[in-house]
């Protein structure tokens, strides 16, 4: 099982079914995730968590290429503009890390 921390707003979007893809930077952990794996999302500063099943994984060289994949964007960005989404990634991971990393989109369903 893989674990990630998420914000409560992300949890709410997962629960109501509008978010079915999680965006992360590609690293050792996200690189190992494969179809069928269990992922547990833990809400920051809370005891709330949710478990999902990985369905697929998409890897992008950068945010621009991710943004061209409209299906992924629609299911993962919670209606942010590209600028808002990019700034959010910079805030979460730092600008340097985002610019020097590939982006991974992990499609999932609730367990």
């Amino acid at each position: 099982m893989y674990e990630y921390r998420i914000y409560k707003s992300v949890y709410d979007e997962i629960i109501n079914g509008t978010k079915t893809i999680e965006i992360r930077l590609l690293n050792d952990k996200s690189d190992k995730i494969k179809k069928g794996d269990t992922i547990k999302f833990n809400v920051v500063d809370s005891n709330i968590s949710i478990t999902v099943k990985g369905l697929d994984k998409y890897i992008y060289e950068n945010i621009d290429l991710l943004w061209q994949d409209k299906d992924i964007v629609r299911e993962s960005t919670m209606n942010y503009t590209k600028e808002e989404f990019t700034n959010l990634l910079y805030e979460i991971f730092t600008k340097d890390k985002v610019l020097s990393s590939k982006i991974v989109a992990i499609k999932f369903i609730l367990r």
Side-chain angles (χ1 to χ4, degrees), residues 71-88:
D71 289 336
I72 298 297
V73 169
R74 187 181 68 251
E75 294 181 48
S76 65
T77 60
M78 299 167 43
N79 296 318
Y80 288 118
T81 66
K82 181 181 177 186
E83 181 179 356
E84 291 169 334
F85 184 71
T86 300
N87 288 333
L88 181 61

Side-chain angles (χ1 to χ4, degrees), residues 44-69:
V44 174
D45 297 328
S46 166
N47 291 327
I48 300 171
S49 65
I50 188 167
T51 303
V52 301
K53 176 182 176 182
L55 294 179
D56 215 337
K57 179 170 71 174
Y58 310 91
I59 298 172
Y60 302 90
E61 292 294 320
N62 54 48
I63 293 172
D64 290 332
L65 293 176
L66 163 69
W67 210 258
Q68 290 175 17
D69 194 337

Side-chain angles (χ1 to χ4, degrees), residues 4-8 10-11 14 22 24 41-44 50:
Y4 287 101
R5 293 172 12 130
I6 58 172
Y7 293 111
K8 178 68 166 70
V10 173
Y11 171 86
I14 292 170
E22 177 67 2
R24 295 285 167 156
F41 293 118
N42 300 303
V43 176
V44 174
I50 188 167

Side-chain angles (χ1 to χ4, degrees), residues 16 31 75 79 97:
N16 73 28
D31 192 37
E75 294 181 48
N79 296 318
K97 282 187 181 178

